[in-house]
Amino acid sequence: MRGRHAGIGFGIMGVGSCCMQRPKPGERLNRPFSLVVFDWDGTAVVDRAANAHAVGEQMGHVLDRGACIVVITGTHVGHLADQLAQAGRQWPRARLYAATNRGSEVYAFAENGLPERLWLRQATTEENRQLDLTADTASRILAERIGAPVTVIADRLNRRKIDLIPIPAWANPTKDAIGRLLNAVEHRLRHLPGGLAAAVALVRQQAQASGLTDVRITTDAKHIEFGLTDKGDSMAWILSHLAAALGIPNAEVLMVGDEFGAIGGIPGSDACTMVPEATGATFVSVGVEPEG
């Protein structure tokens, strides 16, 4: 099956290999890649409401060249499928995959464009109880300590989110506003010593107290999101199942994201894709990282 993937060449500057060694210009990127993995909102599109026609066309060109594509996203597959449908062309769907719900699901796509689930991590009744208990306890303590309301978003597969700034002005912040958002959140948390980092630590403490010994926590500044999986689980599945089955070595894997650096002292959500299994793959950050 190795010969079916001709690869696709890229000429962009990046952060380098999994150990974050910065390459010389063109050293790691001006060569073919057989498997292209990328984050969706903030990397491929501005947000989940954006028109995806242009990026969809480019994805079609990559697939036409014989490479595989995996989109990694924190949202559910329906949002992604709706945006991909805007591309207005039929792709070779057999080489398109989606790792969704922040590491909890993987989908392939049928020729008619409909997603077909390949893998699912399903929380047990006890795990859901622990997630709810963590969300309720942590949100109550945070609200008391900062003297302002926070809200819980509970309708997420295998995870929960705490909205630290549930006000209309920050209902749907865009990626280019993350600097101002972070300042607004830190101001809101000004009565909590340590700010956002301390809020994340509090959530982790409550998760462990609730029995979640391997909780995964990320933040986009507005939310603290915690759950049973993260994008690292997506990357591990991609390498151990998809790349291994197709005979694609790590040296031909390209991962593109926009949040490898820290957000308020907390590693960005794309940083967790740099799993040990990915040693030798190339990681690229596009746009401006949250903290520059």
Side-chain angles (χ1 to χ4, degrees):
M1 299 190 65
R2 181 72 184 86
R4 293 177 58 190
H5 299 274
I8 183 73
F10 287 81
I12 42 183
M13 286 297 294
V15 297
S17 67
C18 189
C19 57
M20 295 294 286
Q21 294 175 342
R22 186 175 297 277
K24 295 178 181 179
E27 187 176 275
R28 294 293 303 273
L29 294 166
N30 291 330
R31 59 189 178 84
F33 290 94
S34 297
L35 175 57
V36 183
V37 184
F38 53 87
D39 176 59
W40 187 243
D41 53 309
T43 298
V45 294
V46 174
D47 56 38
R48 295 168 190 169
N51 187 297
H53 178 83
V55 71
E57 283 293 305
Q58 295 302 315
M59 290 169 64
H61 295 321
V62 172
L63 292 167
D64 286 341
R65 292 282 297 275
C68 288
I69 287 179
V70 184
V71 177
I72 292 183
T73 177
T75 190
H76 62 78
V77 72
H79 278 151
L80 177 63
D82 288 345
Q83 284 184 285
L84 290 178
Q86 299 168 353
R89 59 169 284 174
Q90 290 297 314
W91 304 330
R93 303 280 185 176
R95 294 190 299 276
L96 175 64
Y97 301 86
T100 64
N101 266 313
R102 203 168 292 279
S104 289
E105 295 180 301
V106 179
Y107 286 85
F109 288 87
E111 285 302 316
N112 61 6
L114 294 179
E116 300 176 340
R117 189 161 59 196
L118 301 179
W119 180 77
L120 168 67
R121 165 67 159 98
Q122 182 67 61
T124 65
T125 300
E126 175 60 15
E127 286 171 331
N128 274 317
R129 186 195 69 80
Q130 293 168 335
L131 289 169
D132 288 335
L133 178 60
T134 299
D136 293 343
T137 305
S139 61
R140 175 179 55 78
I141 294 173
L142 278 172
E144 290 173 354
R145 292 189 180 179
I146 69 175
V150 300
T151 60
V152 173
I153 302 170
D155 59 339
R156 297 293 186 272
L157 178 65
N158 298 336
R159 63 193 195 280
R160 304 292 184 267
K161 298 173 73 171
I162 296 175
D163 189 343
L164 298 173
I165 188 165
I167 60 177
W170 291 108
N172 294 292
T174 57
K175 291 283 184 176
D176 60 359
I178 194 165
R180 291 185 289 111
L181 169 62
L182 183 57
N183 289 336
V185 169
E186 291 289 13
H187 179 73
R188 191 175 179 85
L189 301 177
R190 63 191 181 277
H191 298 305
L192 179 68
L196 180 57
V200 170
L202 186 151
V203 172
R204 186 180 301 278
Q205 181 183 36
Q206 294 305 313
Q208 293 171 344
S210 299
L212 295 171
T213 56
D214 187 27
V215 66
R216 317 294 176 80
I217 301 181
T218 60
T219 180
D220 59 3
K222 177 177 171 61
H223 305 98
I224 297 175
E225 187 166 2
F226 60 95
L228 309 179
T229 59
D230 60 22
K231 292 178 183 179
D233 294 281
S234 295
M235 196 68 180
W237 191 98
I238 291 164
L239 295 172
S240 63
H241 290 77
L242 181 59
L246 297 175
I248 299 174
N250 284 7
E252 295 180 18
V253 177
L254 175 68
M255 166 61 195
V256 186
D258 67 291
E259 290 183 0
F260 290 103
I263 302 177
I266 308 303
S269 65
D270 295 327
C272 59
T273 63
M274 304 179 93
V275 291
E277 299 94 319
T279 299
T282 298
F283 288 74
V284 174
S285 183
V286 299
V288 178
E289 284 276 339
E291 295 191 357

